[in-house]
Amino acid sequence: MGRALGGAPRARDCRGGLIRLPTHTCGVLVRLQRIWSFDSRNFRSMLLLSLGPKAWPRLSQFKPRILPRSREGEFLHAWSRNLSGQNQPRGPGLRTRLLITTLFGAGLGGAWMAAKAEKEQRQRQQRTEALRQAAVGQGDFSLLDHQGQPRCKADFRGQWVLIYFGFTHCPDICPDELEKLVQVVKQLEAEPYLPMVQPVFITVDPARDDVAAMARYVKDFHPRLLGLTGSTEQVAQVSRSYRVYYSAGPKDEDQDYIVDHSIAIYLLNPDGLFTDYYNRSRSAEQIADSVRRHMAAFHSILS
Amino acid sequence: MAAPSMKERRVCWGARDLYWQCLDEHEEDAARCGQLRSSFEASCPQQWIKYFDKRRDYLKFKEKFEAGQFQPSKSTENS
């Protein structure tokens, strides 16, 4: 390895060749050497070094000509000539490189989006499957209506259903809520292009509310209001399905008692799935609006 | 005992409303509203009377509470 004017041996070799390891150390040494002897060629070569490995082929133009070479140095020099053509860098132009990068990025992005879409599709299918199972199994009941006919949830498939849980001996809340429910049904009935809504009243007091009692009660509200009753176990089962709390209070001398119960109107869609619930603070107009919105957005999963 | 029909319910509610109006006018003085009280008791089942009395207490309490008349007592700090 020869010596240049005032330079370290390693520095000069890496200046002449294109690829010399460790290149980073090499670059550092060259820069250090150049700091000591500054001229325009030095400046240009420093600039090329700082541009990175792509610019290093051009460094060969700054190679001193009187440099005695070792065999290794000669080999590397010839190799660098070959790689860099005629001392002019001739790789792909900037536009081509940008195009290739953009295409590559677009390809990656497209692959990622396709994978994401596939994952969402799979999740939707799983959810639909779970909903189908719930539509059939969950919230099912077997009760007697106020005409003595046995009814179960499948009988209402294809209809929107509004359910209220209460009891006939209720002082004021159940009549108020049933009145509200009937208002909702009447408002929706007034619109001929909407499907029919079935109002249902289920008792939480099966001990006193038999079929006859239910018949007497429901006729005061709406001709289509359906009363449902059953045995203690059947009522317990349907209340559990709909998460309805109820608890009979203490009896007085008349054997009368009040049943404490949660107050809500439940909406079932035509697939039999629980869709929404409305508590005491919602007015009839608000409930009717909400039912209309659900009807508009409805998409059957069972057909 | 059969449940009250719609008509009977409306009669009971009417009597209750009259009694409550009387109480509002006489500021909870039940002695001045004796007659309305007895007609209220005649129209409604006993359970309902108890229920409506409790409801009245609750509504009055709620009014006072919302008007801010209840302050937490100092003794609750150590409890």
Side-chain angles (χ1 to χ4, degrees):
Chain A
M1 318 268 170
R3 276 189 183 273
L5 310 154
R10 292 271 315 267
R12 192 173 324 125
D13 288 335
C14 88
R15 213 172 3 133
L18 168 64
I19 298 166
R20 176 171 284 276
L21 294 173
T23 49
H24 184 68
T25 321
C26 177
V28 167
L29 287 170
V30 169
R31 273 186 223 125
L32 281 174
Q33 191 234 326
R34 287 303 182 198
I35 287 167
W36 290 108
S37 51
F38 187 86
D39 60 17
S40 66
R41 276 181 50 192
N42 294 350
F43 179 72
R44 270 182 284 156
S45 66
M46 278 173 72
L47 193 63
L48 284 171
L49 274 170
S50 61
L51 286 178
K54 278 194 178 159
W56 290 1
R58 295 188 208 181
L59 287 174
S60 60
Q61 65 187 269
F62 297 114
K63 169 177 67 66
R65 296 184 199 269
I66 51 168
L67 189 61
R69 285 195 202 108
S70 69
R71 274 172 53 200
E72 202 184 305
E74 250 183 61
F75 170 69
L76 279 171
H77 182 64
W79 189 26
S80 82
R81 277 265 167 105
N82 273 341
L83 278 180
S84 57
Q86 274 148 16
N87 280 356
Q88 292 298 325
R90 259 210 317 191
L94 179 65
R95 222 176 285 162
T96 322
R97 269 182 278 159
L98 272 181
L99 183 68
I100 292 173
T101 313
T102 316
L103 285 175
F104 188 57
L108 274 180
W112 176 77
M113 278 168 60
K116 188 167 159 209
E118 197 190 309
K119 178 177 165 192
E120 279 169 11
Q121 165 84 341
R122 222 183 13 252
Q123 279 177 342
R124 264 199 302 271
Q125 275 172 347
Q126 282 175 347
R127 176 158 169 77
T128 310
E129 197 43 53
L131 280 176
R132 275 208 194 103
Q133 288 181 358
V136 171
Q138 184 201 69
D140 198 5
F141 49 78
S142 69
L143 297 164
L144 290 174
D145 68 13
H146 63 270
Q147 281 145 352
Q149 301 304 310
R151 299 282 203 136
C152 66
K153 195 176 81 154
D155 295 341
F156 299 100
R157 181 126 14 121
Q159 293 181 50
W160 291 85
V161 184
L162 281 168
I163 305 180
Y164 179 71
F165 288 81
F167 64 111
T168 63
H169 282 74
C170 186
D172 54 354
I173 296 179
C174 303
D176 280 346
E177 291 294 296
L178 278 173
E179 225 14 89
K180 191 168 75 178
L181 197 145
V182 161
Q183 284 306 311
V184 172
V185 170
K186 283 188 179 152
Q187 277 185 29
L188 295 172
E189 272 174 348
E191 296 174 44
Y193 49 88
L194 283 182
M196 219 160 57
V197 177
Q198 172 64 52
V200 172
F201 171 62
I202 302 184
T203 182
V204 292
D205 186 14
R208 282 188 296 188
D209 292 342
D210 56 3
V211 169
M214 296 297 275
R216 274 197 303 272
Y217 194 74
V218 300
K219 69 171 166 40
D220 283 335
F221 291 96
H222 192 279
R224 285 194 302 117
L225 177 62
L226 191 74
L228 291 178
T229 180
S231 69
T232 318
E233 293 79 28
Q234 286 166 330
V235 167
Q237 185 251 321
V238 69
S239 306
R240 243 194 330 269
S241 304
Y242 291 93
R243 309 284 189 270
V244 175
Y245 156 76
Y246 67 101
S247 165
K251 288 190 185 160
D252 66 4
E253 302 92 25
D254 291 340
Q255 302 300 306
D256 196 3
Y257 55 91
I258 288 189
V259 179
D260 190 21
H261 61 94
S262 51
I263 302 165
I265 296 175
Y266 297 85
L267 176 68
L268 300 186
N269 70 15
D271 286 339
L273 277 174
F274 165 71
T275 303
D276 207 347
Y277 79 98
Y278 311 105
N279 58 22
R280 267 202 100 181
S281 58
R282 304 283 280 263
S283 73
E285 286 79 22
Q286 287 170 334
I287 299 177
D289 274 340
S290 172
V291 175
R292 267 190 222 108
R293 272 200 300 275
H294 285 299
M295 283 177 172
F298 174 64
H299 220 65
S300 178
I301 57 167
L302 284 183
S303 46
Chain B
M1 197 185 77
S5 67
M6 181 67 104
K7 278 203 195 97
E8 288 163 4
R9 275 200 294 269
R10 294 239 169 89
V11 164
C12 170
W13 293 343
R16 173 202 67 183
D17 289 339
L18 284 173
Y19 176 60
W20 281 5
Q21 250 172 19
C22 171
L23 284 181
D24 283 338
E25 283 164 20
H26 295 109
E27 286 175 35
E28 310 304 308
D29 187 1
R32 309 278 289 273
C33 304
Q35 203 193 5
L36 288 170
R37 174 81 189 177
S38 41
S39 83
F40 169 49
E41 283 177 4
S43 323
C44 303
Q46 207 183 16
Q47 278 284 308
W48 290 26
I49 294 167
K50 286 187 212 159
Y51 171 82
F52 285 133
D53 285 341
K54 277 192 240 167
R55 180 101 185 126
R56 172 90 182 164
D57 286 342
Y58 170 71
L59 288 170
K60 285 289 152 197
F61 170 75
K62 198 169 140 188
E63 264 178 42
K64 284 193 194 146
F65 189 80
E66 279 167 357
Q69 287 179 19
F70 290 106
Q71 304 294 331
S73 64
K74 288 221 163 47
S75 61
T76 59
E77 277 173 14
N78 296 333
S79 62

